[in-house]
Amino acid sequence: VTEIALAGGTVVTSLDPPAVVSGDVLVKDGRITGVGTAPEGMARRDCSGCLIIPGNVCAHTHLYSSMARGMPYRLEPPTSFLQILQRVWWRLDRALDESSIRASALLGGMEALLSGTTTVVDHHASPNAIDGSLDIVADALEELGIRSILCYEVTERDGYERALAGLEENRRFLTRRQRVPFGRPALTRGMVGAHASFTLSDETLKACAEVAREQRTGVHVHVAEDAADERDAHARSGVGAAERLLGAGVPPADSLFAHCVHVDAPAAALLREAGVTVAHNARSNMNNRVGRAPVRSLGPRVALGTDGIGAGMFAESRAAYFRLREEDASVGAAWALERLASGARFAGPAFGEPGLGRIEPGGPADAVVLEYSPPVPLSAESFSGHWIFGLGARHVRDVLVAGEVVVQDRRVTRVDQGKVLAEAMTEATALWERLDDLPAHPFEPGGGA
Ligand SMILES: [Zn+2]
């Protein structure tokens, strides 16, 4: 079906500012053609008693961690951020092979769709399976029908050779994927991935920035997530991590800086002025006890990510809101919606889709049908309250990406849900076993732990 009307629902056409109308959402050839009354004879999906919202964007995640829940790591429990990397994530990524990368991407992508997320901005690492890894992730996500912006994490923690291989993987993938394939919308785009200032030399950082510029994209990188990254940047270059990255020539307007917990006030102002989008990951920051990001001083380009804690943006935006309210009661519920809209404003241009994140004529038909009959009045004014205090992934009934129904009646439509889960179980069991043989990663940042 290239034409469908989501009929009879209440439609949230924009999150920032919230706009709510009643009408049928008309979809043709992947695009929204109108919100109004479906013409006679148009295929329709009954959405009465439902709320239709723009698809959610997760602005920073790691699909490779999809199978890490409950993973035993059989080493002393980590007590600092660096130990969490050394004992958990930098062991997991080394244990990944091609089949576990694919299983992770299918599982994470499927769970994202089922929670109402239609675009994921992913940051991938698999130091023992670098070449072609982004294609494995892309193929899995395209099978599911979810939109994504992918990158490979360049890092020197596993040596210079692997940093170069990582950079080459980004370049190879970008060269192939940035072109729009003829006759169908491209659901996958690329960026240049970099781990963080503290695992990268000036030379490699500059090379990342160069590939990004050459490919007309930005760098997706962790910035000042922990104080150790700031200290290391000062020890290496005399400035903080954010300044160091911009100084290396990272294109600001196309780049995505995840976390920015430890940026100081001048660096926050610099990021704001330069137009860098910041991916705020509230739950991950709390879980790793890295500190609180100065989200209000980072300005309007703060988007929300999960950092691998699923890709459900109802849960993430709610946690981010409560976390911020705890320190600042002047924050309103609309703040969460503004942050989600920022994620769409970042992701849209990568697809040549400035309308991503809204339900408007001409824009891509990325929409979520929520089985939510408001028990109290729902309007533009009250919508943010419904979002924080009423709505959740449990309400997701259908999901459209580029006009295609990829979740229908709470099941993904393009892959066998049971098969994805069974494949994940097999792969996770083997992955967890491989992990047992791996010691903690020895890499240490400079500047003192
Ligand atoms: Zn991350």
Side-chain angles (χ1 to χ4, degrees), residues 60-62 64 81 85 123 153 195 220-222 225 258-259 281 284 288 306-308:
H60 177 72
T61 190
H62 302 278
Y64 72 75
F81 174 69
L85 295 178
H123 200 269
E153 174 194 277
H195 170 244
H220 184 180
V221 55
H222 297 98
E225 180 172 1
H259 298 282
N281 305 274
S284 167
N288 290 338
T306 57
D307 205 17

Side-chain angles (χ1 to χ4, degrees), residues 97-112:
D97 59 11
E98 292 185 353
S99 55
S100 48
I101 294 168
R102 178 183 153 77
S104 303
L106 278 172
L107 176 64
M110 182 173 88
E111 290 184 329

Side-chain angles (χ1 to χ4, degrees), residues 56-81:
N56 285 324
V57 174
C58 176
H60 177 72
T61 190
H62 302 278
L63 292 169
Y64 72 75
S65 71
S66 305
M67 304 192 300
R69 64 196 77 172
M71 178 176 81
Y73 37 87
R74 305 196 206 292
L75 298 172
E76 282 287 290
T79 56
S80 69
F81 174 69

Side-chain angles (χ1 to χ4, degrees), residues 13-70:
T13 57
S14 156
L15 297 184
D16 178 24
V20 181
V21 298
S22 287
D24 307 333
V25 178
L26 314 180
V27 174
K28 192 181 175 186
D29 296 332
R31 306 205 157 266
I32 291 157
T33 55
V35 180
T37 307
E40 283 293 317
M42 190 174 186
R44 52 180 71 215
R45 172 109 177 114
D46 182 18
C47 296
S48 49
C50 293
L51 193 60
I52 301 168
I53 63 166
N56 285 324
V57 174
C58 176
H60 177 72
T61 190
H62 302 278
L63 292 169
Y64 72 75
S65 71
S66 305
M67 304 192 300
R69 64 196 77 172

